[in-house]
Amino acid sequence: MEAHAYRGTCLANVAAHYDVVLISGAAPTWEKEFLLDHEIADPTDQAALSEAGRALAERHELAGVMTWTEWYLVPVARLARQLGLPTTAPEALQGCRNKHTSRSLFARHGVPSATSVSVRTEREAAEAARRIGFPAVLKPAAHAASIGVVRVDTADELPAAYAFAAQAAGQGAESTQVLVEEYLDGPEVSVECVTHQGQTTVVAVTRKTLGCAPYFEELAHVVDANDPLRATVAPAAAAAIDTLGVSDGVSHVEIRLVDGRARLVEVNARIAGDMISHLVHLATGVDLARAAADIACGKTPDLTPTCSQAATIRLIYPAYSGTLTERRLDGDFPCLERVNFQREAGDRLVLPPHGDIFSARIGYLITTGPSAVDAQARSTEAYRHLTVQITPA
């Protein structure tokens, strides 16, 4: 997916308050207007990242280091430690990155989560699923964006599901484990949190719409500054962050509500994707990207809300895999904050199980309103005027 379309607002918000130097795997393009300097290095290669960080430190007085990319969390924390800059301990972030470690810590400290078993073979997965019971969920232990995550309703479905999860897990640099887990039956939300010096503040709750069953593609998110769920999910989110040892930074904590009670899915120790941080900014006025930068520089972030409304994003997917032949939005709509198309006519779109969000998503549209109901109604109205044509594969 286009980094500019999903992380451009984060970089712009940070650059509005700080001079920014960048370490990236490729030469900057759209980022240039926000940068003072840069180094090219693979952020997943610790030696290369450290060398690039030292080079920038020789040219500039660095105040902090941060990332919003899931796969870079541990290397960037190690870099911060090497440079003597504020950071959550790399060991704590390793616990966030490995869902098996997270589940073990949640169980040990009484944080409500899901039964989970780490497996290495299809046979072990089948045995674990029988013990846990169907439906079950198979997922890579160390991935993100719901890649490789699949629900299994019967034993007959397990071989294909294990192959799907194992293929994604095999691409992981940190772990190739597959987890078999209890299916948490209930609506999913994420809790957007800011932690500074061990104290966590819940800034917002994001309600999610999932689809493409038995996979877990996220189709829409809505943030309401006055969401009453905050009181229900905040204690569980803060307990999970504390249990994993996340001392500083912005976290995106995923939770399922089972019989009205919060059960932990995972803690992502970085700013949420899918433009959720932008939704939070639109709904509450709180700037999570700036908060992350402040914390990285050892400053106390300002989390005072400056507005109170709702914002929603509708993620655009094809109904089936194929070649995109046309996409457009006709008309003007109240409170349509933005529409983005990341795919052009002629692009091939591939849904799970053969694809994922990177190969299937066409774009998104964002709307606002005084309440979640209003924002979602405006999103639905705009979506009705969206034209997407696909030639089947």
Side-chain angles (χ1 to χ4, degrees), residues 21-336:
V21 296
L22 176 72
I23 300 175
S24 177
T29 53
W30 62 270
E31 303 99 331
K32 285 182 179 179
E33 66 174 297
F34 302 111
L35 301 181
L36 187 65
D37 198 355
H38 75 275
E39 284 283 327
I40 299 174
D42 179 359
T44 64
D45 181 333
Q46 190 69 62
L49 180 67
S50 298
E51 182 179 353
R54 287 192 294 269
L56 288 170
E58 289 176 359
R59 301 198 295 268
H60 308 279
E61 185 177 350
L62 301 184
V65 182
M66 64 176 286
T67 183
W68 43 67
T69 301
E70 181 74 20
W71 294 275
Y72 303 165
L73 286 173
V74 176
V76 168
R78 288 172 176 156
L79 173 62
R81 180 169 278 181
Q82 291 165 0
L83 296 175
L85 297 172
T87 182
T88 286
E91 298 78 14
L93 296 176
Q94 283 179 315
C96 296
R97 286 290 302 127
N98 190 309
K99 297 175 180 63
H100 180 60
T101 303
S102 297
R103 291 279 190 254
S104 300
L105 289 170
F106 293 157
R108 187 182 310 162
H109 294 275
V111 177
S113 184
T115 303
S116 179
V117 178
S118 176
V119 300
R120 291 285 185 183
T121 67
E122 180 188 319
R123 180 178 177 180
E124 290 180 1
E127 292 173 351
R130 279 194 293 270
R131 292 198 306 272
I132 291 171
F134 292 99
V137 175
L138 274 66
K139 64 175 64 172
H143 224 305
S146 299
I147 295 172
V149 184
V150 58
R151 171 175 161 166
V152 182
D153 291 330
T154 67
D156 291 341
E157 296 173 358
L158 196 134
Y162 178 79
F164 175 73
Q167 191 275 334
Q171 300 172 8
E174 296 163 289
S175 172
T176 57
Q177 292 173 294
V178 171
L179 302 183
V180 180
E181 298 193 337
E182 170 191 7
Y183 174 65
L184 300 177
D185 190 3
E188 183 169 322
V189 303
S190 62
V191 189
E192 318 313 329
C193 303
V194 177
T195 304
H196 181 51
Q197 296 181 352
Q199 297 299 310
T200 295
T201 301
V202 171
V203 173
V205 174
T206 305
R207 300 203 189 207
K208 302 177 177 296
T209 300
L210 303 180
C212 301
Y215 311 102
F216 292 83
E217 296 300 322
E218 296 181 346
L219 305 182
H221 308 285
V222 60
V223 175
D224 188 335
N226 299 304
D227 197 321
L229 268 182
R230 184 185 302 194
T232 300
V233 299
I241 289 170
D242 185 57
T243 293
L244 292 174
V246 176
S247 60
D248 294 277
V250 176
S251 296
H252 170 66
V253 183
E254 296 181 351
I255 284 175
R256 284 240 173 175
L257 294 166
V258 181
D259 297 327
R261 301 179 65 183
R263 302 275 295 275
L264 261 295
V265 176
E266 62 190 42
V267 173
N268 304 282
R270 41 80 182 169
I271 298 172
D274 284 352
M275 296 293 285
I276 290 173
S277 63
H278 187 57
L279 301 185
V280 172
H281 200 190
L282 291 172
T284 70
V286 177
D287 185 346
L288 292 178
R290 183 183 179 182
D294 288 341
I295 292 168
C297 295
K299 299 180 180 179
T300 301
D302 183 359
L303 304 178
T304 306
T306 58
C307 61
S308 181
Q309 61 172 355
T312 185
I313 183 169
R314 180 77 173 259
L315 303 163
I316 306 168
Y317 284 95
Y320 43 80
S321 297
T323 301
L324 180 65
T325 57
E326 184 179 5
R327 88 291 184 274
R328 70 177 193 274
L329 181 65
D330 298 316
D332 296 320
F333 305 95
C335 299
L336 176 62

